[in-house]
Amino acid sequence: MTALLSRRTLIKSGGAMIVGLSLSGRGLAQVLPAAEAALGKTVDAGELDGFFAVHENNSVTLFCGKVDLGQGLRIAIRQMAAEELGIGVDRIAMVEGDTALTPDQGATAGSSGIMRGGVQIRQAAATAREALIRLAAERLGQPAEALEAVNGEVRPKAGGKGVGYGALIGNKRFGLKLDAKAPLKDPGTYVVVGKPLPRPDVPEKVTGHHTYVHDLKVPGMLHGRILRPPSIGAKIIEVDEASIRNIPGAQVVRLNDFLGVVAEEEWDAVQAARTLKARWSESATLIGHDGVRDWMRAGPFMADEGLTKKGDAGASLAGAAQRVSGTYYWPLHTHGSMGPSCAVADVRDGKATIWSASQATHRLRLTLAKILTLQPENVRVIYLDGAGCYGMNGHDDASADAALLSKALSRPVRVQWMREDEHGWDPKGPPQLLALEAALGADGRIAAWRTEMWIPKATAGLPNIPLLGPAEAGIAQVQGISTGLISQNAGPMSYNVPNVEVVVHWLKDSPLRPSNIRAPGKIANCFAVEGFVDELAAAAKRDPVEFRLDGLSDPRGIEVLKRTAALLGWKPRPSPGPGGLGRGIAYVHYKNNETYVAIGMEAEVDRASGAIRVHRIACAHDCGLVINPDALRQQIEGNILQTLSRTLFEEVTFDRARVTSVDWASYPILTFPDVPAVLIEVIDRPREPPLGAGEAATTPVPAALANAIFDATGARLRNVPFTPERMKQALARGAA
Amino acid sequence: MASYTISVNGNSLAVDSRDPDQPLLYVLRNSLGLTGAKFGCGLGQCGACTVIVDGEATRSCQMPVAAAVGRKITTIEGLGAPDKPHPVQAAFIAEQAAQCGYCTNGMVMTSTALLARNGKPTLGEAKEALAGNLCRCGTHQRILRAVMRVAGRVAP
Ligand code: FES
Ligand code: FES
C-alpha cells in the first residue's frame, strides 16, 4: 500500500503547517515562515489540538513530543496514529520535539517512545476519529453507529457517499479534551499497525539530503568552538587574546572559566580554538579508572537500602551445603555518538531559539531559560536529528554552550564539539559493582540468593544534570547527579527462588559526571545475574537452558528462552563443553515487568592470544503488540551489536586530571570484521500492550557472551570489557 | 585568501580558502553546501566524512583543499537523490540500512567505491572494505546486506 515515503512528499501532503522537521538542504528561512503559521496552537497534552491538526486537503499533522533518535518512531508512531484515525500513513506529517508546537510527552528515554508516547497519541487519534464521526453524523444525518472512518473519510458502513476529514474540520480546532475512553480498534482489524513500513527518513539519510542539527545554517550564524579545561575543574589564570590575532574575524568569549571562540568560517573557529593561548590552574581531583573498584567499596555513601527481601536469604545461605559467589564489575562507558554534539542557538532581544538534538526539548527549555535568565515562554527549543545518542550524551551541553555564546554576541551561533570533547566530556555511564552469593538446594535448584551492589545514587527531582558551560561560567544550577534507574534487574526475580535479598550501597557520587546511557544499569545487572545463574547451573552440573526453565513460570519468558535455544540448535548438556565453539544463553524480563528477551551466543576463544570471536547471536524477543516489525528488528540488531561492542572493547579511561580515552583509537568499538551473524525471532502479541524495544535486548548480551566463553573454555569473565589480556588471565586462572 | 578550483560531482568549482590546509570536508559542507559528508572525528578514524576521490574512498577530513585540486571528487549528493537513488543507495533503502544515519554517508561511499572496483565482493571482502567505518547504532548487518544485494549475493 504505502510506497516509500520521502519526507518531501510528506511535507507536500501535510499542507502549510509543517515545520522544520525536514529542512533537507533548504535554508531555514524557507521553512520557518510555514512553521510560524502553526505557532500559537496549544501544546497541552490533555487537548486533542495539542496532538493533531486536520487540514482542508485531507492531510493531518501530528505533533509529537517524542523524537526519532534513529530508532524509527517517525514511522511507528505515525502507524499508530494512522490506524486509529483511519487515514493513510502517507497523509500524516509529523512534527517532533518543538517546544512551541508539540506537547511535553517527557524525555525520549527509558524505552517509553511507543509504550507511553505512542500509546498517548493512539488515544488522541481515537478521540479525533470519534469526533470526526460525530461531525459526519450531523452532516450526513445518520446515526454515528452507522458510520465508519476509513481512508480519510467518514462514510456509511452500509455503503454510499462519505465526507472527507478536511471537509469536516479542515484547519479548524477540535476544541476537545483527550478522551481516555475513546474506543480503540480491535487489533484483529489492524491494517497499518504490524506492517513493516519503510522509515520515511531513510531515503534522505542515504542520499545526504537529511538535515541534521549539524547541517543547519541560520542567516548570520557564527561558528563556535569551546575550550574545555585541560583538566576537570581547572580554572583560567590568563587568556592571551592576541594569540589568535592572525585568524580573521576570530573572537574570544570568556565568562569566568567558560572559554569559547567564534569565527565566520568554521575552520577558522577550529583553528582559533587550537591556537588560542590560555593558562589554566592544574587540577587533580579524580580517582583514575584503575581505582574505581576500590573506591566503590570505600564510599562515601548516601545510604544502604534493601530493595528486595523474600524468605530468609541470610539464614539459608549460612546453612547451605553448596555455596557459590562471584563479583562482577561494569566500567564507565561513553555514549560514543558518531557525531560530536552540536547545537545552534539564536539568543537576541530577550528571546531564544535553540535547535538541538536533545532527548528532552521541553526539559531543556526550562533549563536554558534559567541559564539565560529568560522567561520559559520566550525560549523555544526545536528538535533536529543528531547522531544517535543512546541516552544523554553531550547534546544538552552543546545547546547550553551555543546559547551562552549567542547571548554574549547577540548573533546566532553554531557550536559543534570536536571528537575529544565528546569522548572527554559527554556525561558517562556510571560504573557498577555487584557481589553475588547463592546456595544450591539438594534438588539442584537455587535455594537462596543475595545481591549486594555498589552504585551511585541519582538525585531525586533533579531538573537537569548540571551542564558544563554554565558551570564553567559560574551560573547557578541545581546540583546533583543523574543515572537513570540503575538498580533494576539486579536479582533472580524471574526464577522462583524462595530466599532472596537484594541490597544496594548507594554511593554519593560517580567518578565522572554521569547520565543515563541505554538501558541504564540493567545491562550490568543482567550481566551479573545471568552470568551468575550460569555459574550456579554449572555448579549443579545442569544444562543452562533447562536450569533456567526449571525456575521460570511466566509463559512468555519460557517461550523466548525456548525459541532462542532452538534458533541455535541447542542440545542439552552442562557447561563447560568439550572445547572449541562454546554456546551461552541469558534471559531478561526487562525491569521485571516489560519486554521479554533471551539471547544465545556462540563464541570461540583463541587461547594463545586471548582473542574472542563471536560466530552467531540468536534472539527471541517479545514486546507485546508489534507496531512495525522491521523497525523493531533494527532496534534489536542495534541493541545487540552495540552491547557486544561495549562488552568486548569499551572502558572510559581517566587519570587524576582528565579522561584519557578521547578518540576511537583509545576507546575502540566494534568494527565490521567483528560482526557476527544475528538471528532474530520477533514474537507478536497483538492482544497485549506494546512495550519498549529500544533497550531490552541490550541487557542479556554480556552474560550470553560470558556464558558462551565459559562453555568454550571453562574460564569465567566477570569484568567488562573482555579484553584479550583479561581473557588470558581468566584462562590461566580458571580453565577446566 | 587563495582560490582553489576543484571538481565536485562533475562540476568545476572555485572555492576560497585562507588556509591551504583547510580540510576538504569543511569546504564541501560550508562553502559548497554539500552536507552529506559528516564530521565524525576529524582524525581519520571513523569514515563519516568519506568521499570518493579519483575512484577511491577517501577521508575528506584528512585531505587539504590544496591537495584536492585536479582530482575528481564525488560526494554522496553526486550519486543520487531520494527520488532517483544510485543503485547502492537504493540497496541501502531496500535494506533500511540506517538508524541515526550519521555514519551512513561513509558506508554508502565506501561501499560504492568497493563495488566499483569489485562488482561481486564476498561478505568477507565487504567487511574488510568497511573495517575502517564505524557505526555506533549497530546497523552493520543491514549495511552488509545492502552491499551483498548490489553484488547479487545472498544476504547474510
Ligand atoms: S571525520 Fe573523517 S574519518 Fe572521522
Ligand atoms: S546508523 Fe547511527 S552511527 Fe551508524
Side-chain angles (χ1 to χ4, degrees):
Chain A
M1 42 163 289
T2 311
L4 279 189
L5 316 168
S6 86
R7 299 171 97 207
R8 193 156 289 167
T9 55
L10 288 167
I11 292 288
K12 275 193 229 125
S13 66
M17 281 173 82
I18 318 314
V19 200
L21 81 158
S22 178
L23 301 175
S24 272
R26 288 171 288 238
L28 186 76
Q30 292 150 276
V31 181
L32 266 187
E36 301 306 313
L39 287 177
K41 71 175 280 292
T42 178
V43 294
D44 186 339
E47 295 283 335
L48 182 49
D49 296 315
F51 291 104
F52 286 107
V54 175
H55 310 294
E56 276 165 345
N57 67 354
N58 272 344
S59 68
V60 172
T61 301
L62 161 54
F63 299 94
C64 182
K66 299 286 185 186
V67 298
D68 195 321
L69 307 158
Q71 79 280 42
L73 288 190
R74 206 161 273 155
I75 186 67
I77 288 193
R78 243 191 213 118
Q79 283 176 260
M80 296 174 86
E83 187 71 67
E84 288 303 330
L85 205 47
I87 194 167
V89 221
D90 51 348
R91 305 297 297 160
I92 301 179
M94 186 156 137
V95 176
E96 299 163 32
D98 180 336
T99 58
L101 296 172
T102 62
D104 183 359
Q105 295 188 279
T108 308
S111 288
S112 62
I114 297 289
M115 197 167 54
R116 290 192 244 292
V119 162
Q120 191 177 23
I121 283 169
R122 180 172 72 177
Q123 201 59 42
T127 307
R129 182 232 306 133
E130 293 304 299
L132 289 163
I133 289 179
R134 281 196 305 274
L135 287 170
E138 272 174 44
R139 180 85 58 100
L140 298 171
Q142 294 208 28
E145 304 77 58
L147 301 174
E148 59 183 0
V150 184
N151 249 335
E153 63 168 16
V154 182
R155 65 187 189 200
K157 286 181 187 161
K161 212 168 146 33
V163 45
Y165 296 173
L168 287 169
I169 192 157
N171 288 353
K172 290 196 286 292
R173 320 234 134 171
F174 283 99
L176 293 172
K177 296 269 175 236
L178 224 66
D179 178 3
K181 298 221 173 64
L184 295 174
K185 286 192 175 163
D186 177 350
T189 67
Y190 280 171
V191 290
V192 183
V193 166
K195 295 273 183 310
L197 299 185
R199 295 166 46 210
D201 43 357
V202 170
E204 299 204 346
K205 283 178 174 173
V206 308
T207 53
H209 288 248
H210 189 76
T211 301
Y212 293 82
V213 66
H214 304 75
D215 304 328
L216 182 68
K217 279 197 183 62
V218 174
M221 177 180 95
L222 292 168
H223 289 275
R225 287 295 183 276
I226 309 301
L227 286 93
R228 297 260 102 93
S231 47
I232 292 174
K235 308 267 173 231
I236 297 176
I237 297 169
E238 181 183 36
V239 177
D240 175 10
E241 298 200 15
S243 58
I244 58 166
R245 208 173 21 212
N246 293 336
I247 301 173
Q251 212 180 321
V252 174
V253 175
R254 178 180 169 188
L255 307 161
N256 292 316
D257 296 312
F258 174 78
L259 186 58
V261 290
V262 295
E264 300 281 344
E265 297 289 331
E266 186 177 13
W267 181 243
D268 288 338
V270 173
Q271 294 291 80
R274 285 182 183 157
T275 311
L276 182 66
K277 285 209 181 74
R279 276 206 307 133
W280 300 78
S281 66
E282 285 301 318
S283 175
T285 54
L286 309 178
I287 54 177
H289 67 273
D290 280 334
V292 174
R293 250 165 289 206
D294 292 341
W295 172 84
M296 293 185 90
R297 295 262 194 184
F301 297 101
M302 280 303 250
D304 290 344
E305 189 184 352
L307 295 182
T308 308
K309 192 149 177 60
K310 181 181 164 196
D312 190 343
S316 177
L317 281 165
Q322 199 179 2
R323 264 164 82 164
V324 181
S325 61
T327 300
Y328 286 75
Y329 176 69
W330 190 268
L332 291 93
H333 281 162
T334 175
H335 298 81
S337 298
M338 285 313 301
S341 293
C342 181
V344 179
D346 188 355
V347 185
R348 267 184 294 188
D349 311 326
K351 282 196 185 329
T353 306
I354 294 99
W355 292 266
S356 170
S358 173
Q359 284 180 293
T361 47
H362 279 278
R363 183 179 70 201
L364 182 59
R365 172 183 181 234
L366 297 179
T367 303
L368 291 174
K370 278 220 182 70
I371 290 166
L372 298 168
T373 55
L374 292 174
Q375 291 304 313
E377 51 273 24
N378 290 327
V379 178
R380 179 178 180 189
V381 183
I382 301 174
Y383 175 77
L384 282 178
D385 290 31
C389 59
Y390 332 102
M392 193 197 254
N393 66 353
H395 283 316
D396 283 18
D397 287 304
S399 303
D401 289 341
L404 288 175
L405 291 182
S406 177
K407 183 179 178 182
L409 299 161
S410 291
R411 279 184 67 176
V413 178
R414 169 187 185 272
V415 168
Q416 179 170 320
W417 283 10
M418 301 304 281
R419 174 45 54 195
E420 68 267 24
D421 298 328
E422 188 71 30
H423 264 80
W425 292 91
D426 85 313
K428 303 291 186 286
Q432 290 172 258
L433 185 68
L434 294 97
L436 307 177
E437 201 178 6
L440 283 169
D443 57 357
R445 291 183 171 153
I446 307 171
W449 177 296
R450 187 162 197 277
T451 297
E452 206 180 342
M453 58 180 163
W454 292 263
I455 44 177
K457 173 89 174 152
T459 310
L462 188 69
N464 211 105
I465 67 168
L467 299 176
L468 297 171
E472 291 156 359
I475 297 169
Q477 300 181 81
V478 182
Q479 295 301 306
I481 64 171
S482 164
T483 59
L485 301 169
I486 58 175
S487 66
Q488 296 166 318
N489 286 116
M493 295 326 156
S494 303
Y495 294 119
N496 300 335
V497 179
N499 301 292
V500 180
E501 194 178 358
V502 178
V503 180
V504 55
H505 307 289
W506 290 115
L507 286 153
K508 274 198 173 138
D509 206 349
S510 192
L512 297 169
R513 185 180 61 139
S515 76
N516 56 314
I517 180 169
R518 200 172 202 168
K522 271 83 75 184
I523 303 180
N525 296 342
C526 186
F527 167 50
V529 167
E530 283 291 302
F532 196 58
V533 166
D534 226 63
E535 296 196 48
L536 293 166
K541 301 201 169 32
R542 298 181 62 191
D543 173 70
V545 173
E546 284 176 0
F547 187 73
R548 285 177 172 80
L549 286 174
D550 201 10
L552 274 179
S553 50
D554 190 326
R556 292 172 72 176
I558 291 170
E559 181 162 359
V560 293
L561 201 55
K562 283 188 170 165
R563 286 224 208 176
T564 297
L567 278 170
L568 287 183
W570 189 280
K571 302 260 184 322
R573 60 161 174 76
S575 288
L581 197 62
R583 88 282 170 85
I585 201 152
Y587 163 75
V588 75
H589 185 192
Y590 193 61
K591 301 181 187 173
N592 292 321
N593 60 10
E594 291 180 12
T595 295
Y596 300 82
V597 190
I599 301 251
M601 234 181 259
E602 287 175 347
E604 180 176 40
V605 176
D606 179 68
R607 285 175 175 269
S609 67
I612 296 160
R613 178 129 213 102
V614 179
H615 288 236
R616 292 199 300 167
I617 302 181
C619 173
H621 190 278
D622 171 359
C623 58
L625 167 71
V626 173
I627 310 298
N628 182 321
D630 192 55
L632 170 59
R633 291 183 97 87
Q634 190 162 43
Q635 278 299 285
I636 300 170
E637 291 160 14
N639 277 321
I640 291 173
L641 292 181
Q642 186 180 87
T643 312
L644 185 62
S645 176
R646 291 177 66 181
T647 307
L648 281 171
F649 304 111
E650 300 181 28
E651 174 167 22
V652 173
T653 61
F654 53 103
D655 58 22
R656 301 266 301 143
R658 64 189 68 84
V659 174
T660 52
S661 50
V662 289
D663 60 14
W664 297 116
S666 47
Y667 190 92
I669 63 169
L670 189 85
T671 63
F672 273 92
D674 311 314
V675 172
V678 182
L679 319 167
I680 292 169
E681 251 179 51
V682 164
I683 300 169
D684 185 13
R685 299 195 188 275
R687 304 268 160 202
E688 298 288 341
L691 301 170
E695 303 178 321
T698 59
T699 46
V701 168
L705 178 55
N707 298 345
I709 290 167
F710 176 76
D711 188 62
T713 64
R716 173 63 56 183
L717 293 177
R718 299 189 191 88
N719 293 298
V720 163
F722 298 171
T723 58
E725 212 37 58
R726 283 214 173 111
M727 187 67 245
K728 281 198 283 187
Q729 284 165 11
L731 285 167
R733 226 182 18 243
Chain B
M1 185 83 66
S3 180
Y4 301 86
T5 302
I6 57 175
S7 158
V8 182
N9 301 331
N11 303 313
S12 182
L13 303 163
V15 292
D16 293 336
S17 181
R18 185 183 57 79
D19 179 3
D21 288 333
Q22 173 170 197
L24 176 61
L25 175 65
Y26 291 86
V27 173
L28 294 172
R29 290 181 52 81
N30 296 327
S31 310
L32 302 178
L34 297 169
T35 53
K38 297 286 183 267
F39 177 88
C41 64
L43 304 165
Q45 295 176 339
C46 76
C49 63
T50 305
V51 297
I52 297 176
V53 179
D54 294 335
E56 289 218 29
T58 302
R59 287 163 188 220
S60 65
C61 75
Q62 299 296 300
M63 175 174 261
V65 61
V69 173
R71 322 282 296 269
K72 214 169 143 281
I73 298 155
T74 306
T75 72
I76 194 165
E77 293 91 344
L79 295 184
D83 48 355
K84 207 172 174 294
H86 177 277
V88 173
Q89 292 170 324
F92 270 69
I93 295 169
E95 298 292 349
Q96 294 282 289
Q99 291 182 53
C100 79
Y102 202 86
C103 70
T104 307
N105 167 72
M107 301 300 175
V108 168
M109 298 313 279
T110 305
S111 303
T112 302
L114 164 70
L115 287 157
R117 67 167 187 274
N118 173 5
K120 230 174 148 34
T122 62
L123 183 63
E125 286 169 341
K127 285 186 177 179
E128 224 25 74
L130 289 161
N133 286 75
L134 301 178
C135 172
R136 185 52 161 172
C137 293
T139 315
H140 306 73
Q141 253 209 325
R142 285 172 186 253
I143 294 163
L144 292 170
R145 265 192 243 135
V147 177
M148 291 298 102
R149 179 184 273 260
V150 181
R153 290 189 191 272
V154 182

